[in-house]
Amino acid sequence: QVRLGESGGGLAQPGESLRLSCEASTSILSLYVVSWYRQAPGKERELVASLFNHGMRNYADSLRGRFTISRDNALNSVYLEMNNLEPEDTAVYYCNAKRYSGSHLEDYWGQGTQVTVSS
């Protein structure tokens, strides 16, 4: 079992920045990939960014350049730096981790953290 705890959400004005943190209960290098997803009201959950254990990063095309995913192996944490926030970024942001158990890929979710962008 992997527990994920998100923090760092809150209220921001358009153009401001926020940094979300996801702390895992195990070594993040043991996880195949850690991702951030978000879900806005009335919309489906969407992938924001992923960081694979070998270092490769993927981003949603619409967010590339404004959002950056990174990690601190010593703290077992993955971060999402969000710059130049827009009202459309308002959503609950979730941390997701996948870990191989044999050939089976286990899937874990955090509880989510609310980000609200409003003037």
Side-chain angles (χ1 to χ4, degrees):
Q1 185 76 10
V2 177
R3 294 183 301 278
L4 303 171
E6 301 103 330
S7 60
L11 177 64
Q13 293 191 350
E16 291 185 339
S17 299
L18 282 176
R19 186 193 196 208
L20 305 183
S21 300
C22 172
E23 183 176 359
S25 61
T26 187
S27 168
I28 57 171
L29 294 178
S30 71
L31 305 172
Y32 173 60
V33 58
V34 179
S35 302
W36 287 97
Y37 287 76
R38 68 183 185 183
Q39 188 165 19
K43 295 187 177 182
E44 294 188 354
R45 192 172 297 189
E46 63 175 351
L47 178 65
V48 174
S50 297
L51 178 53
F52 291 83
N53 58 3
H54 51 71
M56 187 177 74
R57 293 168 170 81
N58 285 336
Y59 295 94
D61 288 341
S62 62
L63 301 175
R64 194 182 302 272
R66 290 197 300 123
F67 288 16
T68 302
I69 191 170
S70 63
R71 69 187 181 200
D72 187 322
N73 298 337
L75 296 179
N76 293 327
S77 293
V78 174
Y79 307 100
L80 184 69
E81 183 77 30
M82 307 185 293
N83 297 316
N84 195 20
L85 285 163
E86 302 170 354
E88 293 72 23
D89 296 319
T90 295
V92 178
Y93 285 71
Y94 297 92
C95 182
N96 171 268
K98 293 178 173 55
R99 180 179 68 177
Y100 275 105
S101 177
S103 60
H104 176 66
L105 196 59
E106 300 173 334
D107 200 30
Y108 299 96
W109 290 92
Q111 80 285 355
T113 185
Q114 176 71 47
V115 172
T116 302
V117 183
S118 175
S119 56

